[in-house]
Amino acid sequence: MKLLRKAFFLVLSLSILGTLHAQPKAPKATDWIQLFNGKNLTGWDVKIAGYAVNDNYKNTFLAEDGMMRVKYDGYDRFDGRYGHIYYKQPYSYYRLRFEYRFLGEQLPGGDSWNVRNSGVMLHSQSAASLGKDQTFPVSLEMQFLGGLGSGERATGNLCSPGTIANINGKLDMAHCITSTSKTYEGDQWVKGEAIVYADSIIYHIVESDTVLTYTKARIGGDFVGKNNTFEMAHFTKEDAAHWRKLDNTPLKEGYIAFQSESHAIDFRNIELLPLKGCMDPKASNFKAFYEISDKVACEYEKGRRK
């Protein structure tokens, strides 16, 4: 009996260990939400500085050949017409995947720092909440930079109009923080991904490499009312007062917006995997989305909230 009992507990223990170390179930392709349908801009709002919401000046943003394109065919000069295209729904916990490529030369009238420069805004304010002349939304920007043919130029960086975050556990007030990515030259397609867990932890991934990680995302920094930075220079007094009141508030959710910054760029395969089940094991999507990378962030979030 003792031998049988020992054998039973050995088999049970091995079974439990096997379960604990089993590969988590990966999400199915059908779990991903296609944010861009490849045919038109349905579900997206356009806001360009100086123009009303959904006044898509000179067809800056368009759907063509299965891509969301930022083009300047109708422009003579850029002249500060910074624009963004916003998905209709805000998110808090999610994985965002996409591909981008820069094209050709920069439009005349664009700033020198915007050559092969664009990005996607995470946790952004909505298109409707921007002031008419506001150039950039309060958000966390995953910045895209293309190589210029000489020297290194990382992509997947963090820029922070009206926001701040911690790098390696410490507040970093730099407006743009450089990632560890390689340089991508020419007009090649580049795969990007952002894994976002509310205000807790956010990963920037380029071509399957995690190139930047930051925590404790919140509203703050040198937005208007403090040092009147370029990005926030066109706030109304009312908007400035609103954001000052929210200084240091955790940034837990927001909209996703792709940029127009004077250099033509294409986007494709824009898709999102909701991760709301991360914090709730009873949620219907918990098991399907419980991947290795998600497990690390979920454990971080659970520990932070104890």
Side-chain angles (χ1 to χ4, degrees), residues 138-268:
V138 171
S139 56
L140 301 160
E141 178 190 350
M142 182 177 177
Q143 183 194 49
F144 314 140
L145 295 178
L148 300 179
S150 60
E152 296 181 355
R153 199 173 191 231
T155 190
N157 311 307
L158 170 64
C159 294
S160 50
T163 55
I164 50 178
N166 286 16
I167 303 291
N168 297 322
K170 295 181 180 180
L171 173 62
D172 192 326
M173 291 292 291
H175 173 56
C176 286
I177 298 167
T178 304
S179 81
T180 60
S181 88
K182 60 179 283 189
T183 301
Y184 293 88
E185 301 282 358
D187 295 357
Q188 65 178 302
W189 285 103
V190 179
K191 293 181 179 179
E193 180 173 355
I195 302 180
V196 181
Y197 293 88
D199 63 315
S200 297
I201 188 166
I202 298 173
Y203 302 93
H204 290 183
I205 299 169
V206 178
E207 292 292 343
S208 300
D209 289 332
T210 300
V211 298
L212 187 66
T213 302
Y214 51 98
T215 60
K216 295 186 178 179
R218 52 206 188 273
I219 295 168
D222 295 335
F223 48 90
V224 73
K226 291 190 175 181
N227 291 336
N228 196 29
T229 59
F230 171 79
E231 288 80 2
M232 298 294 108
H234 296 112
F235 266 154
T236 64
K237 290 182 179 179
E238 293 77 13
D239 287 340
H242 167 74
W243 292 111
R244 283 199 299 273
K245 289 178 182 178
L246 295 176
D247 194 13
N248 214 39
T249 301
L251 193 56
K252 296 178 178 290
E253 70 172 9
Y255 293 81
I256 293 164
F258 289 88
Q259 286 189 319
S260 161
E261 285 196 297
S262 77
H263 204 120
I265 188 170
D266 293 335
F267 301 102
R268 69 182 183 187

Side-chain angles (χ1 to χ4, degrees), residues 71-85:
K71 298 177 70 176
Y72 304 102
D73 292 354
Y75 286 62
D76 294 319
R77 294 176 56 84
F78 186 68
D79 292 341
R81 296 187 182 93
Y82 289 94
H84 298 79
I85 185 166

Side-chain angles (χ1 to χ4, degrees), residues 271-283:
E271 54 185 3
L272 181 141
L273 181 71
L275 296 174
K276 197 64 175 179
C278 165
M279 291 302 298
D280 182 7
K282 295 181 181 179

Side-chain angles (χ1 to χ4, degrees), residues 29-86:
T30 53
D31 293 323
W32 289 84
I33 299 169
Q34 303 303 309
L35 300 188
F36 172 56
N37 62 23
K39 300 176 181 179
N40 53 50
L41 301 181
T42 298
W44 296 80
D45 289 316
V46 171
K47 179 65 183 74
I48 297 172
Y51 300 88
V53 176
N54 287 323
D55 182 348
N56 189 7
Y57 176 77
K58 302 288 186 182
N59 289 318
T60 303
F61 298 95
L62 69 158
E64 189 175 68
D65 298 328
M67 298 174 288
M68 179 186 288
R69 313 197 74 176
V70 179
K71 298 177 70 176
Y72 304 102
D73 292 354
Y75 286 62
D76 294 319
R77 294 176 56 84
F78 186 68
D79 292 341
R81 296 187 182 93
Y82 289 94
H84 298 79
I85 185 166
Y86 300 75

